[in-house]
Amino acid sequence: MESLERRLGYAFHDRSLLSEALNHSSYANEHRGGLSSNERLEFLGDSVLGFVSAEFLFKRYGELPEGDLTRMRAALVCEQSLYGVAKELGLGGYLKLGRGEEAGGGRERQSILADAMEAVLAAVYLDGGIEAARELIERVLLRQAPTAEERRDYKTTLQEVTQRRSGQVLTYHMVDQRGPDHNKTFLFEVRLNGTAIGRGEGHSKKEAEQAAAKAALSDMPA
C-alpha cells in the first residue's frame, strides 16, 4: 500500500478503500465471504472524474462552447487516457485478480486498468474529499489539457499563408514513430510542393502535424 501511495502522491487515512479499489471482480468471486470488488468504486469514480474534469475545462476555457468542452473532456478522460495513467503508475502490479484473469494477462488489459484507475480516484475522494480527488485528477490526467497556445490551428494558418500564391501544395508525411503502444511519439514532416519546410512531433498524429506546421510557420519570413 505504501508503495502505491507514494506513486499516487496521496496517503490514505483508511487503506481499506484503496484495497477495495484494487479488487477485480474475478478476485472477489473467488474469495467469497464479504469481499467486495472495485465495481462500485469504479461507478463513483466515473462521476467524480466527470465533475472534476468538467469544472476544470469550464474554468480554463471560458471562450469555448459546450460542444467543444464536451469533446475535449471525452478525449482527456477516455479509457485510453485512464489506461495510460494506470500504466505510468504501475497500477497493474497492485491489482488483485482471479486465477483465470491473471493467466489471461489481465494486468495489462486496457479495460481492467482503466476501470481500476477510476476506482482508485473514487477511493481518494471517499478518503480525502473532493479537493484530494481534484488534486490527483488534475495532476495525472488533466495536465494533458492543451493551453490556448497549443489549441491554435497551425495547419489552417499554414494553409492560408501558402495559398496566397497559386500552385502551392501542402502535404504531411509521417517519418518516424517510437515508444510503446500506449505512449507513442510520432514525427511528421510538412512539405510544400514536395520540399520539406517543417518537422514536429507529438503523442498523436494530429498533434505531430500541428507541430510540423508550427515549425514551418516559425521559419517563414515575417
Side-chain angles (χ1 to χ4, degrees):
M1 292 294 109
E2 290 181 8
S3 172
L4 182 53
E5 285 177 339
R6 286 194 295 271
R7 291 176 179 233
L8 291 170
Y10 178 79
F12 278 81
H13 302 286
D14 181 0
R15 282 185 177 166
S16 68
L17 289 167
L18 180 57
S19 180
E20 182 178 333
L22 302 173
N23 290 341
H24 187 256
S25 58
S26 62
Y27 181 85
N29 290 337
E30 288 183 7
H31 297 76
R32 300 197 179 272
L35 187 64
S36 299
S37 76
N38 62 6
E39 291 177 343
R40 282 170 53 83
L41 285 175
E42 175 202 336
F43 165 78
L44 178 60
D46 180 69
S47 294
V48 173
L49 179 59
F51 167 72
V52 170
S53 59
E55 181 187 48
F56 175 87
L57 294 172
F58 180 84
K59 291 180 177 179
R60 183 165 183 172
Y61 303 108
E63 80 286 3
L64 290 184
E66 179 268 342
D68 288 349
L69 293 174
T70 297
R71 285 188 289 274
M72 191 177 295
R73 180 179 62 179
L76 286 170
V77 303
C78 67
E79 183 178 280
Q80 179 70 29
S81 296
L82 288 164
Y83 170 72
V85 170
K87 291 287 287 183
E88 287 179 11
L89 294 171
L91 194 59
Y94 298 92
L95 294 178
K96 288 170 280 185
L97 304 173
R99 289 185 295 272
E101 200 63 67
E102 181 80 62
R107 293 188 187 279
E108 297 295 323
R109 188 163 298 150
Q110 178 169 303
S111 59
I112 289 179
L113 286 170
D115 291 347
M117 192 66 234
E118 287 187 326
V120 168
L121 296 178
V124 171
Y125 165 72
L126 291 173
D127 189 74
I130 192 63
E131 289 305 321
R134 179 183 288 112
E135 192 280 329
L136 177 59
I137 291 169
E138 290 185 359
R139 175 162 45 84
V140 302
L141 263 173
L142 301 184
R143 65 166 192 255
Q144 303 172 59
T147 62
E149 171 69 11
E150 292 168 336
R151 287 186 53 252
R152 283 186 58 191
D153 189 350
Y154 294 102
K155 286 184 66 176
T156 297
T157 302
L158 181 60
Q159 188 74 32
E160 292 171 349
V161 169
T162 56
Q163 282 183 344
R164 290 171 187 168
R165 298 182 192 175
S166 62
Q168 304 294 299
V169 179
L170 278 176
T171 55
Y172 291 83
H173 304 268
M174 185 173 70
V175 295
D176 191 23
Q177 60 176 305
R178 58 185 182 275
D181 287 343
H182 70 276
N183 191 29
K184 277 192 179 298
T185 297
F186 300 92
L187 177 63
F188 266 72
E189 184 174 82
V190 57
R191 300 172 188 171
L192 180 61
N193 297 331
T195 300
I197 58 173
R199 279 192 170 195
E201 64 178 36
H203 290 298
S204 69
K205 294 178 181 179
K206 181 178 179 181
E207 183 181 321
E209 288 177 345
Q210 287 286 347
K214 180 181 180 181
L217 286 166
S218 67
D219 289 338
M220 287 184 171

